[in-house]
Every structure is written in C-alpha cells, then in structure tokens.
Amino acid sequence: ILLFLGNLPQMKKIFRKFPFDIIDAHFVYPDGFAAILFGKIFKKPVIISARGSDINQYITFPLIKKLIKYTLNNATTIISVCQSLKNEMIQIGIPDKKIHVIPKGVDIHRFSLKDRVICRKRLHIRGKENAILSVGGLIERKGFHILIDAMKSISKENSNAHLYIIGEGPLRKELENRIMQHSLEKRVTLVGPIKNEELVNWYNSADVFCLASCREGWANVIMEALACGCPAIATNVYGAPEIITEEFLGRLVERTPDAFAKAINDFLAKSKNNRNRIRGHVFSRDWDVVAREVDNVFLSVVN
C-alpha cells in the first residue's frame, strides 16, 4: 500500500505526458499488488509476471498469500517464467487460461563458445584441472554449502577437481570456515563478484556447472552455462527440469552433498562433452524470441 501511495503522484505525472495503455508489473508481491491498485486508479489493464520467490516462497505466509491471490485474481493477464510456477498459481485458484508461460531467454552473443585453452589461461586454471563452477549470491538458498560438502568425496575420487564459486553475500565468512573445516583450501575457491560480461570465460573454462538452489524460477545461470556449451547439474526444483530436458545437458539431482558428488564424479569421468550440441539446445531461446512472445501478450490485452 505504501508502495502504491508513495508512487501515485509520480504515476499521475507520467500519465499526463504518456497516457499508457498497459501497466506491466514484475514480481507478484509487493510490486504486482501496487500495480493492481494503479490499474484501478487509471482504469488500465495490468499484466503481472511471476518470477520465482513471489510464488514458491511468499505464498507460505498466510497474510501475504491472501494479497497474492487478490493480485493475481485482479490481474488482466499473468506471465509465468516456468510451468511449475503456473501450476502453483492454479493450485491456489487462478484460472489456467489466464496464465501464459514465457520462459526467460539468454544473450547468445554474450554467452557463446570461446577457445577453452585461452579462457583457462586467462583465469589461471591448469590444463588438467577438472573445473566445477557455481554462480550466485552467497546465501543459504543457493546451496553453496552443499557443493563444498560434496567436494569432500569428490576430491577422494578426483585429485584434479576444483570448485570455483563466483558471487558475494552474507554467508561468505561461513563458507570460508566450512572450507577450512574440511581442509579444502586447495580444492575450493571463493572467487568473489564477477561482471556478467566476464562470466563467459568461466563458463567456457568449466567442465561442469552446478546449481544447488532449494528453489528457483527460471535460473539465468543455467541458461548462460548451456549457451557456453557447459553441462549443468541442478537441484530438481521448479524451472530446472524444464531446462535440463536431455541427459547430454546435465543432471537433475536431490539437494544433498552425496547426490551432487555422484553426478559431478560421473560427468568428470566421462570424455569431454559435445559443447556445440549443448549450446544448440538453448540457441533458439534468445531475448528477441522472448520479447516477441511478451509483445504478443501485450497486443492480445490491448486488442
């Protein structure tokens, strides 16, 4: 409500100069809730995009769940980034026909196949090293502690395995302590934050990408890894099984150190993967395709 009231004067000012036809809100709550109130004031249709935590986490809070249901029921149209989120919205009573599934895309120009040898030299990764990569904010939900624990058994079978974790966050100190407790200082590196445009070197250098999240909508990092030809191992939740649909792309596993360790060891024991084939799986899902699909929804609402 405060989000709505605080922005109402600015919205009126915008509307005088630009009498918009649609209000497009990303994230169901609180943004979408405020957008519904704006829609009633300006008498305009509201399109709301559900992206992940706004559905798979927030509906566990009784009061917020009521506001989420109000928001979704009053939206003209809803966009979901994956089928699993759509299913959850249907379960709380939102009509199926009201929800359009439009998965996220990937920048196929930024994330592309590069010379692996050059990328590894640039990052000082040894030629024989089996590089395991994970990217995200250092928070519990991303599950980096699970990957660190998995490295205990991985390192027993693979003396060349090394885990690189890219990102920053409040759990950094805790993860550093965990690495020391397991004596994995030479096996795990907390790289820190890396600019998005520089991640391409890491994806091309990695033998396998891992995401141990407990929940995600449609994970950008999986799409980025696949676009660079890097296979992905991910927790079997929400959008992940809608991305990793073939065995050559990676594995879907339970959120345990043993499950990740086994899948990673299996991949590292194999011959090198067909990176061109992996990239081909997401090549047609660039942002231009996504934009056209969103535009079609906009046009259907206006018409």
Side-chain angles (χ1 to χ4, degrees):
I1 292 172
L2 291 175
L3 185 62
F4 162 70
L5 293 174
N7 285 283
L8 184 56
Q10 183 68 11
M11 285 288 282
K12 289 180 176 178
K13 182 179 178 182
I14 290 171
F15 190 68
R16 285 194 295 270
K17 295 181 179 179
F18 173 62
F20 48 79
D21 299 299
I22 293 173
I23 297 174
D24 177 40
H26 290 253
F27 221 68
V28 177
Y29 180 85
D31 311 64
F33 178 76
I36 293 298
L37 300 182
F38 285 131
K40 293 183 181 301
I41 292 291
F42 295 100
K43 295 180 173 57
K44 296 296 179 180
V46 178
I47 299 172
I48 293 178
S49 291
R51 313 200 69 81
S53 296
D54 47 354
I55 297 299
N56 59 35
Q57 181 186 16
Y58 286 11
I59 60 173
T60 60
F61 303 103
L63 176 59
I64 295 179
K65 181 178 180 179
K66 291 180 180 179
L67 295 173
I68 286 174
K69 288 183 68 174
Y70 172 85
T71 299
L72 296 175
N73 278 316
N74 283 274
T76 307
T77 297
I78 302 162
I79 294 174
S80 174
V81 296
C82 62
Q83 182 64 41
S84 61
L85 286 180
K86 175 177 178 176
N87 293 342
E88 290 213 11
M89 287 185 275
I90 292 172
Q91 286 179 9
I92 63 172
I94 309 305
D96 179 303
K97 62 182 181 180
K98 193 175 189 177
I99 309 168
H100 300 262
V101 176
I102 301 181
K104 294 182 187 178
V106 64
D107 187 337
I108 59 172
H109 303 292
R110 171 172 290 183
F111 298 101
S112 59
L113 297 176
K114 302 289 184 184
D115 188 303
R116 202 153 177 268
V117 174
I118 293 175
C119 289
R120 285 191 157 219
K121 283 183 178 179
R122 191 172 292 160
L123 301 175
H124 306 292
I125 296 175
R126 292 181 293 109
K128 294 183 178 181
E129 185 175 281
N130 292 138
I132 305 159
L133 179 66
S134 195
V135 180
L138 304 187
I139 55 177
E140 196 282 334
R141 175 167 66 87
K142 295 295 184 180
F144 295 117
H145 58 290
I146 292 172
L147 297 179
I148 291 171
D149 289 352
M151 282 300 294
K152 290 191 296 182
S153 56
I154 292 171
S155 58
K156 292 176 183 177
E157 291 191 32
N158 191 322
S159 60
N160 290 320
H162 194 110
L163 171 63
Y164 294 92
I165 297 173
I166 294 176
E168 195 55 82
L171 287 190
R172 183 180 183 91
K173 189 63 179 178
E174 182 178 319
L175 295 177
E176 289 175 344
N177 291 336
R178 204 179 197 97
I179 292 168
M180 288 189 287
Q181 288 168 7
H182 296 326
S183 300
L184 292 171
E185 292 92 335
K186 294 183 180 180
R187 298 285 190 171
V188 181
T189 300
L190 299 181
V191 179
I194 295 291
K195 292 180 180 178
N196 187 259
E197 60 267 24
E198 296 174 5
L199 286 175
V200 62
N201 295 316
W202 287 95
Y203 290 129
N204 275 278
S205 296
D207 292 283
V208 65
F209 175 82
C210 295
L211 184 63
S213 295
C214 61
R215 63 181 186 276
E216 292 281 348
W218 188 275
N220 290 333
V221 287
I222 295 179
M223 295 289 285
E224 292 168 0
L226 297 180
C228 295
C230 181
I233 298 171
T235 320
N236 190 11
V237 294
Y238 294 98
E242 297 174 41
I243 304 174
I244 304 172
T245 55
E246 303 285 349
E247 278 202 2
F248 73 90
L249 297 170
R251 293 288 184 276
L252 297 167
V253 299
E254 296 299 315
R255 196 174 186 250
T256 66
D258 288 344
F260 270 94
K262 183 180 186 306
I264 292 169
N265 278 329
D266 287 348
F267 255 86
L268 295 181
K270 290 182 177 181
S271 57
K272 297 303 178 184
N273 298 285
N274 187 334
R275 301 180 84 88
N276 281 296
R277 187 183 179 196
I278 293 172
R279 173 172 169 78
H281 181 74
V282 299
F283 187 80
S284 62
R285 194 70 196 164
D286 66 7
W287 286 113
D288 288 339
V289 171
V290 178
R292 286 195 292 272
E293 292 177 5
V294 172
D295 187 45
N296 287 336
V297 172
F298 285 0
L299 290 173
S300 69
V301 169
V302 171
N303 292 336

